[in-house]
Amino acid sequence: MKKPNIALTIAGTDPTGGAGIMADLKSFHASGVYGMAVATSIVSQNSLGVQDVYHLPIEVLESQLNSVFEDESPQAIKTGMIASEEMMKMIKPYILQSNVPYVIDPVMVAKSGDALMDDEGKQKLIETLLPIATVVTPNIPEAEDITGFNIETVDDINRAGAFFINEVGSEGVVIKGGHLEGDAIDYLFTNKGVTTWNSERFDTKHTHGTGCTFSAVITAELAKGHTIEEAVNTAKRFISLAIQHTPEIGKGRGPVNHFAYQKIEGLDYE
Ligand SMILES: Nc1ncnc2c1ncn2[C@@H]1O[C@H](COP(=O)(O)OP(=O)(O)OP(=O)(O)O)[C@@H](O)[C@H]1O
Ligand SMILES: Cc1ncc(CO)c(N)n1
């Protein structure tokens, strides 16, 4: 059997399996990539919201990172919820040393509206990790927080894309239109220009963890050696099918279907 490509996620948890490292592992697996996961914060959350957040001590983060990197290095890395500057600084040298594609989902607020990062953390993300990202995947409110201006029109989105590439120094940014009205349009900006993906908006409340899933699939595709454009293309198809075929789990805003893409595309990995 061929050795699989490996993707690593460094993020918060969701005991109900819809978001965070649990969603990332499912998405890696459904993309045919071997998944590894380092936890930053333990989040008591479910489809109804966030009940409690416990940030792990910095030594616990370091110890997990050492366990991963002294053994087998991943071919791509993703970070999600990172609550403090201390954690960002701890993670950065591991990313730089591994020298593989690095995806940042700049998680700030859960779909329920609960905050997962404080204001200082947002500023520090811009200084420490965003400049070394291969791809950043903000939703509109996250892009507004990072750029410091309101995003309402396509002109605003173009301005935000330019900000990430030219001012922050990220290689690519996907500004996700999930929070706007109308079709779900995503905009990828790189130094080659802009590419857009358009999907119909599915009328469902079950969109818990869509951002985690989308960025995890981009990471998995980059781990396989695909280009940024190819990776976003696959991730868009993956998340659209996952939202279209939600499993109806939970009393509130439930998770998406992480296995719809694999099933519908008829994929059979080695
Ligand atoms: N109702 C929907 N129908 C179709 N696509 C959607 C819908 N909602 C979101 N998307 C798509 O899902 C992906 C994730 O975008 P979204 O804006 O929901 O991320 P997010 O807010 O970061 O998610 P979360 O914070 O819950 O993890 C994008 O490709 C977006 O266009
Ligand atoms: C741990 C975690 N990361 C990200 C999100 C955003 O969906 C969430 N709800 N929980």
Side-chain angles (χ1 to χ4, degrees):
M1 205 169 168
K2 201 172 137 262
K3 187 168 172 178
N5 293 116
I6 300 171
L8 168 69
T9 175
I10 305 170
T13 66
D14 172 1
T16 63
I21 58 175
M22 287 73 175
D24 292 341
L25 286 177
K26 292 176 195 181
S27 307
F28 291 160
H29 189 77
S31 301
V33 164
Y34 182 90
M36 295 182 176
V38 165
T40 52
S41 300
I42 304 298
V43 184
S44 303
Q45 61 174 316
N46 55 27
S47 68
L48 299 168
V50 174
Q51 291 80 44
D52 211 352
V53 180
Y54 182 87
H55 302 311
L56 289 172
I58 195 77
E59 308 78 51
V60 178
L61 176 61
E62 182 176 26
S63 151
Q64 295 176 82
L65 288 167
N66 286 338
S67 297
V68 170
F69 285 99
E70 75 181 19
D71 194 8
E72 183 94 51
S73 287
Q75 278 81 50
I77 302 172
K78 159 189 168 170
T79 56
M81 176 186 178
I82 312 174
S84 69
E85 181 187 11
E86 197 182 21
M87 285 192 180
M88 293 171 200
K89 285 190 169 154
M90 170 62 69
I91 292 165
K92 187 171 181 176
Y94 292 89
I95 311 266
L96 288 175
Q97 262 170 38
S98 65
N99 197 26
V100 294
Y102 170 42
V103 178
I104 301 185
D105 188 16
V107 172
M108 295 171 181
V109 179
K111 273 271 156 62
S112 53
D114 298 280
L116 297 172
M117 181 191 274
D118 61 23
D119 284 340
E120 197 182 286
K122 291 174 193 171
Q123 196 49 45
K124 297 300 172 195
L125 194 63
I126 301 173
E127 290 167 21
T128 55
L129 295 177
L130 290 178
I132 62 166
T134 309
V135 188
V136 191
T137 61
N139 59 27
I140 298 276
E142 288 158 354
E144 288 182 328
D145 266 336
I146 291 167
T147 60
F149 53 81
N150 286 345
I151 301 176
E152 281 158 15
T153 63
V154 176
D155 273 354
D156 297 335
I157 291 179
N158 284 320
R159 206 175 131 213
F163 182 88
F164 274 90
I165 306 303
N166 302 326
E167 311 283 326
V168 179
S170 311
E171 191 181 335
V173 57
V174 184
I175 301 182
K176 301 172 294 187
H179 292 244
L180 294 177
E181 304 278 296
D183 283 356
I185 308 175
D186 299 330
Y187 301 77
L188 166 67
F189 297 87
T190 63
N191 61 10
K192 286 190 248 160
V194 54
T195 314
T196 59
W197 282 268
N198 199 335
S199 141
E200 78 178 89
R201 177 173 299 278
F202 300 109
D203 184 17
T204 173
K205 62 175 179 172
H206 298 299
T207 55
H208 175 65
T210 47
C212 304
T213 302
F214 181 71
S215 57
V217 178
I218 296 175
T219 311
E221 295 302 309
L222 292 174
K224 293 183 206 168
H226 292 297
T227 64
I228 296 176
E229 285 78 9
E230 289 166 346
V232 176
N233 193 52
T234 301
K236 183 63 172 168
R237 170 111 179 107
F238 187 114
I239 193 65
S240 300
L241 290 172
I243 296 171
Q244 192 180 1
H245 301 279
T246 53
E248 312 289 320
I249 289 171
K251 295 190 173 75
R253 194 187 282 276
V256 298
N257 187 339
H258 296 99
F259 296 101
Y261 176 80
Q262 189 182 11
K263 210 167 180 179
I264 290 163
E265 298 285 325
L267 300 176
D268 184 17
Y269 304 112
E270 277 182 58

